[in-house]
Amino acid sequence: MKEAQLQMKLPGVPQAKQGREVPARWEWTEAAVWTERMLATLERGITGGKWYSLNDKVTKMENLQRAVEKVIKGKSSKKADGRKCRRYAEQSDQRLPQLQRSIQSGQYQPKPVQRVWIPKLGSKEFRPLGVPEVECRVVQMALRNVIEPIFEHGFAEHSYGFRPGRGAKDALRRVDQLLKAGKVWVVDADLKGYFDSIPQDKLLAAVAERVADGAVLELIQRFLKQGVMESGQGWSPTESGTPKRLRRCESAGRF
């Protein structure tokens, strides 16, 4: 009941669009952004291989509203972070127009993430976790709604991590198929601190191979450079690596 009441407070929250006929593989895409025509272009390949004029889709009010919905989804009002997210949603009719103008004018600047240290599973070590403010999450989600399908289209068929509509069970089914086909070797490899050490210049260059909208590329770069705030140490620059919520495309995309 509380979730329904909160959603009712969101100004102009779009209902699911009826009649959008898209291939099953694209049903997860954000209907506020990805029309049938755009998805058809994605399927056949866009001229020149690059997408232009994407910032207007990032800042589309309907997309920003949907981003708020996704950010607050599953957030518990019993936790401080959940309360912050829900409070932002309740105030979104005042906050989103200002946010929209800020991004459109190129003045939006993400605030530094708050660094916290959490126990590392199966170890006595701790690992750093960056917690962005709620509005940063909204912008990142709106951005992801726009660019994720562009990169998803080119991902490896048998890549399962951080992919929409895919997960560990799909990977296990693939392993079962390979075992039944007589394959017996398994390679287990891990790159320590991979997401924290990605060269940002090379990452941006890889994104620019598909995205040619300068405003969107600048927005991504600002998130990469937003820095970290840590208790007792103040602000620290982020010269390498990526924010947590930009990692979904990277880890699955094999850039």
Side-chain angles (χ1 to χ4, degrees):
M1 178 63 72
K2 290 182 179 180
E3 289 294 335
Q5 291 175 344
L6 179 58
Q7 290 180 9
M8 290 298 291
K9 292 179 182 179
L10 286 173
V13 171
Q15 301 299 315
K17 292 192 175 183
Q18 302 297 321
R20 190 178 73 134
E21 298 181 1
V22 300
R25 65 176 297 199
W26 299 118
E27 288 179 351
W28 57 271
T29 57
E30 179 50 62
V33 175
W34 286 91
T35 63
E36 294 178 29
R37 183 176 179 181
M38 284 182 65
L39 287 171
T41 300
L42 183 64
E43 284 277 299
R44 68 171 179 266
I46 193 167
T47 303
K50 293 187 178 184
W51 289 78
Y52 295 80
S53 302
L54 295 177
N55 196 49
D56 63 316
K57 296 170 180 60
V58 174
T59 59
K60 185 179 180 181
M61 183 55 67
E62 194 174 1
N63 183 36
L64 293 174
Q65 292 168 336
R66 292 289 292 140
V68 172
E69 272 196 321
K70 291 180 179 180
V71 167
I72 68 172
K73 186 177 181 180
K75 295 293 184 181
S76 172
S77 59
K78 296 181 180 180
K79 296 183 179 180
D81 185 65
R83 290 193 293 272
K84 289 179 182 178
C85 291
R86 296 163 72 88
R87 191 178 308 117
Y88 187 95
E90 292 168 352
Q91 300 171 350
S92 59
D93 56 340
Q94 292 87 34
R95 304 191 68 161
L96 288 185
Q98 182 178 352
L99 176 62
Q100 181 188 51
R101 291 191 294 270
S102 177
I103 303 173
Q104 288 174 335
S105 65
Q107 296 180 341
Y108 175 76
Q109 182 62 52
K111 293 183 179 179
V113 300
Q114 294 292 326
R115 173 168 288 167
V116 295
W117 294 84
I118 62 175
K120 198 171 184 179
L121 187 63
S123 171
K124 294 182 179 180
E125 298 180 2
F126 287 79
R127 67 183 181 91
L129 181 66
V131 182
E133 69 159 11
V134 178
E135 192 159 81
C136 283
R137 299 181 218 179
V138 171
V139 178
Q140 288 180 10
M141 183 65 74
L143 180 59
R144 198 183 91 185
N145 286 346
V146 174
I147 69 173
E148 185 173 26
I150 295 173
F151 295 97
E152 174 68 24
H153 181 258
F155 288 170
E157 174 63 26
H158 295 297
S159 172
Y160 298 97
F162 301 91
R163 301 279 298 277
R166 298 179 180 225
K169 291 183 178 180
D170 299 295
L172 288 173
R173 278 191 283 268
R174 176 59 178 165
V175 169
D176 184 58
Q177 292 174 357
L178 293 173
L179 289 173
K180 290 177 178 178
K183 309 296 183 181
V184 296
W185 289 95
V186 175
V187 178
D188 183 11
D190 185 28
L191 297 177
K192 184 177 181 180
Y194 171 69
F195 291 114
D196 298 321
S197 60
I198 293 176
Q200 294 178 354
D201 56 343
K202 293 182 179 179
L203 174 61
L204 281 170
V207 174
E209 291 179 2
R210 303 280 187 88
V211 174
D213 189 313
V216 170
L217 293 174
E218 173 65 24
L219 185 58
I220 294 174
Q221 184 175 43
R222 290 187 180 188
F223 275 115
L224 293 174
K225 299 293 186 183
Q226 68 189 118
V228 174
M229 289 292 293
E230 188 166 0
S231 178
Q233 297 186 21
W235 180 84
S236 299
T238 45
E239 301 297 339
S240 63
T242 71
K244 178 182 178 182
R245 284 168 176 77
L246 292 183
R247 296 177 182 177
R248 179 170 178 172
C249 290
E250 296 150 17
S251 59
R254 304 295 187 265
F255 283 147

